[in-house]
Amino acid sequence: MNNRLITADPAMMMGKPIITGTRITVESLLDRFAAGETIDQMLEAHPRLTKEAIFAAFAFAADTLRSDIIYPITDKAA
């Protein structure tokens, strides 16, 4: 990983990408944001978290999706 704010260690959080120096996963930040939580609410809930780290998590997720093959979602009922 090229970003100093995102790390992954197989011994921590099952190897999921986390915010460096925390146990906060990129996945959990994305889930919270998708559920409607604001960045300010995330910062309030996690005092060690920074706005820079949240944006690094979003950038990491975007880079990961960009590098993967994405298959279209189809409606099997149709």
Side-chain angles (χ1 to χ4, degrees):
M1 277 175 239
N2 295 331
N3 192 318
R4 65 179 174 76
L5 295 173
I6 308 295
T7 56
D9 178 350
M12 190 168 232
M13 301 304 289
M14 299 182 297
K16 291 183 178 188
I18 59 169
I19 303 299
T20 302
T22 74
R23 296 179 64 82
I24 303 168
T25 63
V26 169
E27 176 184 12
S28 69
L29 292 177
L30 293 172
D31 284 342
R32 294 172 82 149
F33 194 67
E37 192 168 326
T38 67
I39 290 172
D40 287 336
Q41 289 170 323
M42 287 186 234
L43 293 170
E44 188 176 320
H46 300 284
R48 295 182 62 202
L49 192 59
T50 64
K51 192 176 281 192
E52 181 184 16
I54 293 170
F55 289 134
F58 292 163
F60 174 83
D63 288 344
T64 300
L65 286 171
R66 195 175 297 113
S67 66
D68 284 343
I69 297 171
I70 305 298
Y71 297 96
I73 298 172
T74 58
D75 184 3
K76 292 184 180 192

